[in-house]
Structure formats: C-alpha cells, structure tokens
Amino acid sequence: MNSHVSKTRKRVLSGVQPSGNLTIGNYIGALRQWAREQHNFESFFCVVDLHAITVPYDPAELRAKTREVAALYLACGIDPDISTIFVQSHVPAHSELTWLLNCITPLGWLNRMTQFKDKAAKQQADSVGTGLLDYPVLMAADILLYHADAVPVGDDQRQHLELTRDIAQRFNHLFGETFTIPEAMIPLSGGRVMGLDDPTNKMSKSETSSEYHAVYLLDPLDRARKKIMRAVTDSGRDISFNDDPQRAGVNNLLEIYEALTGKTRSEIEAHFATARGYGDLKKEVADVVIAALEPIQQRYREITGEQGYVDSLLAQGAERAAEIARSTLDTVRDRMGFIKTHS
Ligand code: ATP
Ligand code: LTN
C-alpha cells in the first residue's frame, strides 16, 4: 500500500448510471455482488450522474433517476450503516481528477474502447460529445480516488477496468507510486445477461429495441413474467447450457436461473431433463426472477415512502466520500507539481 493511504480494510467501489430503468442485468451483474461484498470490503457505491450526461438526456429525467437509482441500491440490500452511498457529482474531486488524468491518457487508448464505438455508432457522427470518448477516464478517476482494490462490475466493463489499471500504472510511473491498481470482480455466472428480445445483444437499460427487451427491477410482477414467457429462444427443445449462438436464448434463461438459484449447471440440467419444452423452463425462470424482485420492490416502496430519507443519506455519503477523495487529490496535485494555496 502507498504510504499516504490509510485503509483498515480492502476497498471496493462501483457505480451505475442513472440513465434509465435498472434491469435484472444490472442486478445480477453488479448490485447483487455489491450487497454480498459489502461485508468483506469497505464499500463505496456511487450513482454516476456525470457519466449519464455523455449521451443526450433530459435534466428532469436525470434528477428523478438519480434518486431512484440510489433508492434501488438500498432496496437491493446495500446497508448505509456499513457502506457509503453517494452521488458522483456531489464530490467535485471526480471531475478534477478526470482533468488531471486526461492529460496523461493517450488518445489512442480511448479510441480503442468498444463501448465508445458502440455508443457513438448510435448517434449522428457530428453530434457525439467529447464526454463520451472521455467516459472511461472519469470512471478511472472514480475508482482511483478511493484506492479501490476491487471493482464489482458486469463483464461489459472489463475493458474499462483494464484502461483504469493502465492509467494508474502510467501515473505511478510518471509521478511515483500513488494509486492502487484495482482488480475487476466479475461474477462467474450472470456477468453478461442478454436481451430477452435478442439474446445476441447485452441486456441494457437504455436499449429501446422492443418492450420485451429487459425485465426492469420495478416492473409490475405480471409484466416481468410476461416478458420472460415471450423471451426469444429457438425451435429445438434441448434444455442445456450451450455456447452455440443459435441457442443463445435458452442459454441466457439458464444463466439467469443459475445466477438466481445458486444451483450448479449439472443440477440445473438434471432438473430440466424431464421438462416438456421451453415453456416449462420459462415458467420456472419467471418464478425465480419474481421471487428476487418482490422483496426489492417491497423495500423500495418503504424507502421512498419516507420523505427526505434518501436525500439525507446521500448528503452523509457525499461528506464521507469527499473526505477521502480530497486527500487523494491533494497528493495527486502535489506529485504533479501544483503549488498549494497559502491563506
Ligand atoms: P446503459 O444502457 O445506460 O449504458 P447499462 O444497463 O449497460 O446502461 P450501466 O449503468 O452501464 O448499465 O452498468 C451498471 C452496472 O451493471 C455495470 O457494472 C455493468 O457491467 C452491469 N451490467 C449492465 N448490464 C448488464 C448485463 N446485461 N449483464 C450483467 N451486468 C450488467
Ligand atoms: N462505466 C460503468 C459505470 C461506472 C463505474 C464506475 C463502474 C462509472 N464509474 C466506477 C465501476 C466503478 C458502467 O457500468 N457503464
């Protein structure tokens, strides 16, 4: 550990963008791990609102979703007594460190990012914002400010984590050992939940391809069931784990089932060996998804029923986060050669 960092436990940091309705992909790939790991790590979970403005957005929607996502962190089991929950823009150090890291990040590293290429391709070429290209540097700042050891994310964030490590190593090389090099923590099952309408594409909260694309955490339960019953499969009837792209729909349903039940693949295949067809599989997947959603929705109603509760937790969280972030930023400024103010 670097001499200026005082940690009593290893740390995790992660975040979700308030850019739409959270999906079961966000839950299985990220939030569920957070709730579990908060008992093993000192944990920081932020609502990354500055990331959500890298594509066109509506300010009123951003405001509402920022509170909704924070309340969903709590509803999914993040305990504010043991973890710090905060909003990224409440801690200005995230923006400031981004600028400093920008100046040591080669443009070529950013041009290679697949998420940038995918998201840029969905917009008119002349309207893609600079922030979309710079998105991974802001993410690196989020992580490095807290000296996070591990970052629990879905599989789609692997490349951004590699970039964060590269930026940290470059900084340490240029200015002396400063940042902890973080590890990605990606779930073995459910790291990449696929779209129910198109199982060759990742399930994503901002995807609008069809109303049957994703199950949202706040979907009415009968609607969630209907979406799973309509999931795209294939014309066969064999219910087994398989990486053949033709069978991606069945494989996706089995992975959701695996992630939510914790059963082994052989147990699951044996269980479905006597099923009459995909209808039976879908019904059971719908049952386990609904069993996961029900308590989350119940807690969400309780949390949001209490006026001002979420906002006051976010204020406390920002204060705690800012203290650590400010101290890291002071070290960074000093190492980079900025003079201090003298009052
Ligand atoms: P957007 O569509 O707005 O880009 P998203 O649904 O991809 O959003 P993010 O806010 O980018 O969600 O991601 C939040 C967390 O959820 C990240 O750790 C990400 O890896 C994880 N995640 C997102 N989608 C999935 C998925 N389909 N399967 C597993 N994990 C996912
Ligand atoms: N880019 C991430 C969201 C994110 C994040 C982070 C995740 C922003 N900052 C820091 C982990 C740690 C995504 O899921 N799209």
Side-chain angles (χ1 to χ4, degrees), residues 17 36 91 164:
Q17 304 178 76
R36 197 178 296 152
V91 182
T164 301

Side-chain angles (χ1 to χ4, degrees), residues 15-17 19 25-26 29-30 119 135 152-157 190-193 202-206:
V16 171
Q17 304 178 76
S19 51
N26 298 129
K119 291 205 169 181
Y135 176 115
V153 282
D155 179 70
D156 61 313
Q157 295 303 306
R192 193 177 188 82
V193 176
K202 184 188 85 109
M203 181 182 286
S204 151
K205 66 174 127 61
S206 63

Side-chain angles (χ1 to χ4, degrees), residues 254-271:
L254 285 170
E255 282 205 27
I256 294 170
Y257 186 86
E258 179 189 24
L260 292 178
T261 61
K263 291 186 181 159
T264 65
R265 292 192 166 196
S266 50
E267 278 169 350
I268 294 169
E269 286 175 350
H271 176 73

Side-chain angles (χ1 to χ4, degrees), residues 27-243:
Y27 177 67
I28 294 172
L31 285 156
R32 215 166 53 113
Q33 269 57 249
W34 305 1
R36 197 178 296 152
E37 296 303 338
Q38 68 182 336
H39 302 290
N40 306 323
F41 292 84
E42 184 185 2
S43 302
F44 296 83
F45 300 117
C46 63
V47 181
V48 290
D49 54 351
L50 297 169
H51 279 106
I53 66 166
T54 56
V55 291
Y57 76 101
D58 170 42
E61 175 96 352
L62 178 68
R63 205 169 282 124
K65 289 293 167 196
T66 301
R67 291 199 170 94
E68 181 179 302
V69 171
L72 276 169
Y73 285 5
L74 298 164
C76 288
I78 307 303
D79 178 348
D81 290 332
I82 58 175
S83 300
T84 302
I85 299 179
F86 67 103
V87 174
Q88 185 188 36
S89 68
H90 290 174
V91 182
H94 291 244
S95 303
E96 188 173 347
L97 183 60
T98 301
W99 175 256
L100 302 179
L101 296 180
N102 274 337
C103 297
I104 64 148
T105 304
L107 193 51
W109 290 4
L110 300 181
N111 276 322
R112 281 202 290 274
M113 294 293 112
T114 55
Q115 180 178 297
F116 170 69
K117 288 189 249 183
D118 292 348
K119 291 205 169 181
K122 289 186 179 164
Q123 286 179 53
Q124 295 246 317
D126 59 0
S127 73
V128 174
T130 307
L132 191 62
L133 180 67
D134 204 30
Y135 176 115
V137 182
L138 176 59
M139 176 163 164
D142 298 339
I143 297 166
L144 300 179
L145 273 176
Y146 300 89
H147 299 287
D149 299 278
V151 182
V153 282
D155 179 70
D156 61 313
Q157 295 303 306
R158 209 180 274 279
Q159 194 184 34
H160 286 161
L161 249 297
E162 275 307 313
L163 183 86
T164 301
R165 291 164 59 88
D166 289 344
I167 293 174
Q169 267 152 358
R170 188 174 173 94
F171 188 100
N172 288 352
H173 175 72
L174 290 169
F175 302 109
E177 283 302 309
T178 304
F179 291 126
T180 301
I181 310 300
E183 302 276 347
M185 188 189 264
I186 296 169
L188 291 173
S189 103
R192 193 177 188 82
V193 176
M194 308 306 279
L196 298 174
D197 61 333
D198 171 7
T200 60
N201 258 320
K202 184 188 85 109
M203 181 182 286
S204 151
K205 66 174 127 61
S206 63
E207 182 58 67
T208 50
S209 51
S210 131
E211 57 179 311
Y212 295 102
H213 170 71
V215 170
Y216 302 114
L217 295 185
L218 296 176
D219 263 345
L221 299 177
D222 55 346
R223 192 155 171 68
R225 178 176 297 280
K226 192 163 168 200
K227 288 179 176 176
I228 291 172
M229 295 310 292
R230 295 195 49 161
V232 169
T233 48
D234 55 69
S235 55
R237 44 184 305 125
D238 172 39
I239 303 179
S240 61
F241 288 90
N242 199 311
D243 48 22

